[in-house]
Amino acid sequence: NAGVTQTPKFRILKIGQSMTLQCTQDMNHNYMYWYRQDPGMGLKLIYYSVGAGITDKGEVPNGYNVSRSTTEDFPLRLELAAPSQTSVYFCASSPRHEQYFGPGTRLTVT
Amino acid sequence: KNQVEQSPQSLIILEGKNCTLQCNYTVSPFSNLRWYKQDTGRGPVSLTIMTFSENTKSNGRYTATLDADTKQSSLHITASQLSDSASYICVVSRLDSNYQLIWGAGTKLIIKP
């Protein structure tokens, strides 16, 4: 089991560019989540999904989009990147309560 | 407002010593409280999950306590090791939304040899 994998590990974007952060899990978990972690702050939920075809907004969804066409994959799309989106992004999955996290993507927007 | 506050913000102790990290929360309605360990540059890893009726839970050298009346939790680390150097994050879940967790900012623990 690879668990939760995320690509890329690092990325630098220019303002206005777009990109997709990839997340895949091989544990057959129904629930998946995207978080962002800013320095010295707690994780903030961007979007979550309770199963294939179902997504919902979290606490900080503006500037992001997600899709969940399969149980395994939960990509996060950034359109028109802004400096405020500089952060570390974590994807997680869970069977119910306990969440399993990927290694994170460190994104810088300049 | 639903909040989780942790103290201290950072802590340095010598290898082999014990330490206790604190967590206060104002989340309501309460469902469960979790402690996560996050190594530098890695995703958080779950240490314990406690529901309303549990007041203590252990995972090896880690022991978490919960006082639901005072809305306080602590994480005690016994006989610290260099590998315990990490951030420890307290997370609270609401009864009406298991998906939207309220995360503390974490305590950064450094173990010195």
Side-chain angles (χ1 to χ4, degrees):
Chain A
N1 268 359
V4 179
T5 56
Q6 291 182 239
T7 56
K9 285 196 165 83
F10 303 93
R11 184 72 186 267
I12 299 174
L13 277 184
K14 292 191 187 306
I15 294 171
Q17 286 184 322
S18 59
M19 76 165 294
T20 299
L21 281 65
Q22 300 292 346
C23 175
T24 300
Q25 53 99 1
D26 62 1
M27 297 174 282
N28 203 32
H29 290 164
N30 282 328
Y31 306 110
M32 293 189 75
Y33 315 80
W34 273 106
Y35 291 92
R36 59 178 287 172
Q37 186 176 34
D38 298 323
M41 307 287 287
L43 272 71
K44 302 282 188 195
L45 182 66
I46 305 171
Y47 271 95
Y48 66 95
S49 168
V50 301
I54 306 168
T55 62
D56 209 344
K57 294 177 182 178
E59 191 180 352
V60 290
N62 291 346
Y64 308 95
N65 276 302
V66 293
S67 59
R68 184 100 182 267
S69 55
T70 66
T71 299
E72 295 77 22
D73 299 306
F74 190 40
L76 177 72
R77 178 91 179 150
L78 277 73
E79 305 281 3
L80 296 174
S84 61
Q85 293 178 305
T86 293
S87 190
V88 180
Y89 292 84
F90 288 102
C91 178
S93 71
S94 71
R96 192 161 181 241
H97 292 302
E98 183 165 349
Q99 295 188 13
Y100 298 84
F101 284 81
T105 293
R106 185 174 293 275
L107 176 68
T108 302
V109 182
T110 61
Chain B
K1 187 179 175 184
N2 293 302
Q3 279 187 319
V4 174
E5 293 183 349
Q6 294 186 240
S7 61
Q9 203 168 9
S10 62
L11 181 63
I12 302 174
I13 63 171
L14 291 175
E15 186 180 9
K17 298 294 186 186
N18 304 335
C19 67
T20 301
L21 314 180
Q22 301 291 345
C23 172
N24 295 336
Y25 62 93
T26 57
V27 179
S28 182
F30 175 86
S31 176
N32 58 68
L33 184 144
R34 313 157 189 220
W35 282 94
Y36 281 85
K37 178 186 179 190
Q38 185 176 21
D39 292 316
T40 301
R42 308 287 290 269
V45 174
S46 178
L47 293 174
T48 64
I49 298 178
M50 287 184 292
T51 60
F52 184 89
S53 58
E54 295 173 294
N55 30 33
T56 187
K57 198 164 225 184
S58 291
N59 178 357
R61 294 179 297 100
Y62 301 103
T63 299
T65 65
L66 173 64
D67 185 335
D69 291 332
T70 61
K71 298 189 177 181
Q72 295 180 324
S73 176
S74 65
L75 180 70
H76 185 74
I77 304 174
T78 305
S80 61
Q81 300 176 357
L82 296 178
S83 59
D84 291 333
S85 292
S87 285
Y88 291 85
I89 309 174
C90 177
V91 186
V92 180
S93 167
R94 288 176 53 160
L95 200 59
D96 54 357
S97 175
N98 265 320
Y99 315 120
Q100 305 220 25
L101 306 179
I102 293 94
W103 292 73
T107 291
K108 187 172 176 65
L109 177 65
I110 298 171
I111 311 296
K112 294 210 166 213

